[in-house]
């Protein structure tokens, strides 16, 4: 019981994932700044931002629905921190592994988007409402290639549990190489989930102020920012576990360090992508997702089915 | 308790988010403020980020004399910001009303309407002067905390 509480609250739960999320935010911002040929923020910047926001006044608009407005950020943060518990960090099995946990992680990663929608909608500000409707519209575009990309890897392994998938790729060395197309698709759709630059239409500063976060201030906004950081960690960890499934048979410490390096590699890919591209319009984004990403995801599934039918028979 | 207060003050000084508001300027000060935010001066070094909404901002950067048209809006924006909040007046017009002081449609400088923490003179104030003014405001905050402690 005590051990379970420790793993939920401290390691690898809330405390560890928050600290790791903040450091990932620093790395993301630093890479972004260096690629723009500037110095970038100092190492303590995300921590200072978080403490400052926690100590600021909480304003709740009179017209807003009090409960929904307050609960949405907490729901979002809880969902992403819970999702992290199902990802294997230092061996082939996560702490609470069961058959179908990959679906649970994907489902828990969808909740923050819905929470942003609910929080933005019930804050009754016009900008927040436009932003939240945009984030929901976007959800229907990137979610399909994201699920197809991740599940194509599971299809090759023939299982919906992360443990079985990692076991399969440990038995079939270099088979993860066939999934590189799926990896690219998932990475790009994941930018939409994180609301990062090519797909940051919901919180486009030049159009809708700050999207669904417009009315949030103080502590609640701090939770929302932390949610986005942790979501980045969880998503990168899921991608690392599914698409780069090697090195889990090493001794736990080395496997853990290797896994962290993999996460940081995926985070730097995300920062690189968000630096080199500009924001799309909503219709362009939906066109891009349905016309290019979904057919490519089908191609990936086809490749995996052919490999499964010919090589693995 | 004092340690917590110290950490909070440190965080506030290290992460000032600003909101830029034109209260009736001729656009010269606005161009200089935007220039100060470009990668050339890289204000993210000091943790300064430009925010779109008053709910996220700590410092309201105003430029220009307060016209009677903008007065109510300025007060409303100021009241929408969460505590603790500070106001910086950029440019001669924002400091005192400048050449527009006494016009039939102008209410003097920013401090005629809302309390101002720092004044940055200049017509227009150069980006370096703006950065210097904001850094001086932040150091004065630190000194104020020290004075309260003593």
């Amino acid at each position: 019981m005590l051990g379970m509480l420790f793993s939920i609250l401290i390691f690898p739960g809330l405390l560890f994932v928050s600290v790791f999320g903040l450091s990932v935010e620093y790395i993301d911002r630093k890479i972004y700044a260096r690629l723009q040929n500037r110095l970038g923020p100092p190492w303590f910047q995300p921590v200072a931002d978080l403490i400052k926001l926690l100590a600021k006044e909480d304003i709740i608009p009179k017209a807003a629905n009090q409960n929904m407005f307050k609960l949405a950020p907490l729901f979002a943060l809880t969902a992403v921190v819970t999702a992290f518990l199902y990802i294997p960090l230092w061996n082939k099995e996560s702490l609470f592994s069961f058959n179908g946990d990959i679906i649970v992680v994907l489902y828990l990663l969808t909740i923050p988007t819905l929470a942003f929608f609910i929080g933005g909608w019930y804050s009754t500000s016009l900008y927040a409402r436009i932003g939240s409707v945009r984030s929901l519209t976007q959800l229907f575009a990137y979610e399909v290639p994201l699920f197809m990309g991740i599940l194509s890897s599971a299809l090759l392994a023939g299982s919906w549990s992360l443990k079985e998938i990692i076991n399969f790729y440990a038995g079939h060395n270099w088979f993860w190489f066939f999934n590189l197309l799926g990896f690219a698709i998932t990475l790009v759709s994941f930018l939409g989930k994180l609301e990062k630059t090519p797909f940051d239409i919901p919180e486009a500063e030049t159009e809708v102020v700050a999207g669904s976060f417009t009315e949030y201030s103080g502590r609640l906004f701090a939770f929302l920012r932390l949610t986005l950081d942790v979501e980045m960690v969880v998503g990168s960890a899921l991608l690392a576990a599914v698409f780069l499934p090697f090195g889990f048979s090493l001794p736990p410490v080395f496997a853990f360090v290797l896994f962290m390096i993999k996460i940081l590699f995926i985070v730097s890919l995300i920062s690189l992508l968000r630096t080199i591209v500009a924001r799309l319009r909503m219709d362009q984004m939906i066109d891009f997702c349905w016309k290019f990403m979904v057919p490519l995801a089908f191609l990936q599934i086809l490749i995996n089915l052919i490999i499964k039918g010919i090589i693995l028979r | 308790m004092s340690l917590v207060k110290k950490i909070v003050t440190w965080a506030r000084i290290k992460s000032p988010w600003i909101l830029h508001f034109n209260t009736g300027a001729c656009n010269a000060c606005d161009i200089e403020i935007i220039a100060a935010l470009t990668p050339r001066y890289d204000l993210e070094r000091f943790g300064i980020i430009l925010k779109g909404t008053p709910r996220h901002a700590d410092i309201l950067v105003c430029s220009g004399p307060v016209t009677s048209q903008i007065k109510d809006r300025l007060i409303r924006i100021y009241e929408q910001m969460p505590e603790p909040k500070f106001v910086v007046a950029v440019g001669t017009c924002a400091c005192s009303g400048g050449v527009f002081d006494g016009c039939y449609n102008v209410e003097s400088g920013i401090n005629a309407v809302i309390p101002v923490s720092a004044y940055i003179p200049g017509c227009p104030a150069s980006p370096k002067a703006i950065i210097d003014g904001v850094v001086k405001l932040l150091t004065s905050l630190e000194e104020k905390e020290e004075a309260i402690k003593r």
Side-chain angles (χ1 to χ4, degrees), chain A residues 124-144:
Chain A
T124 60
S125 157
L126 260 182
Y127 293 120
R129 285 200 162 167
I130 295 172
S132 41
V133 169
R134 281 183 178 193
S135 69
L136 216 56
T137 316
Q138 194 172 280
L139 179 80
F140 292 110
Y142 66 72
E143 199 81 339
V144 174

Side-chain angles (χ1 to χ4, degrees), chain A residues 29 38-42 44-45 48-49 51-53 55-57 59 209-210 213-217 221 225, chain B residues 7-8 10-12 14-15 17 39 42 44-45 47 49-53 55-58 80-84:
Chain A
R29 280 168 73 173
R38 52 196 180 92
L39 213 59
F44 52 74
Q45 195 56 53
D49 287 350
I51 295 173
K52 182 204 74 178
L53 283 172
K56 260 183 103 80
E57 185 191 359
I59 297 178
V209 184
F213 306 155
T214 304
E215 290 296 324
Y216 279 99
S217 64
F221 185 50
R225 279 178 62 92
Chain B
I7 293 171
V8 168
W10 168 82
R12 267 176 201 152
K14 292 298 175 195
S15 142
W17 291 354
D42 186 23
E44 209 183 357
R45 284 179 294 159
I49 305 178
L50 180 70
K51 284 285 168 180
T53 154
R55 299 273 194 232
H56 300 174
D58 306 296
Q80 278 176 346
M81 287 169 64
E83 294 280 354

Side-chain angles (χ1 to χ4, degrees), chain B residues 103-126:
Chain B
C103 282
Y104 69 97
N105 59 345
V106 166
E107 328 247 340
S108 195
I110 307 285
N111 60 4
V113 182
I114 52 174
V116 177
S117 309
Y119 298 88
I120 303 166
C123 187
S126 79

Side-chain angles (χ1 to χ4, degrees), chain A residues 229-255:
Chain A
D229 292 346
V230 174
E231 201 180 357
M232 193 153 157
V233 170
V234 176
S236 312
L238 180 66
L239 258 66
V242 172
F243 290 108
L244 307 171
F246 50 86
F248 282 99
S249 345
L250 293 169
V253 178
F254 293 110

Side-chain angles (χ1 to χ4, degrees), chain A residues 285-300:
Chain A
M285 188 255 175
I286 289 172
D287 272 4
F288 177 71
C289 282
W290 284 103
K291 281 188 189 159
F292 296 99
M293 307 262 277
V294 173
L296 282 175
F298 270 122
L299 182 67
Q300 174 67 57

Side-chain angles (χ1 to χ4, degrees), chain A residues 64-85:
Chain A
N65 184 325
Q66 308 275 319
N67 294 331
M68 286 301 200
F69 191 78
K70 279 189 215 160
L71 280 178
L74 293 179
F75 263 121
L77 186 61
T78 316
V80 283
V81 172
T82 312
F84 196 63
L85 294 175

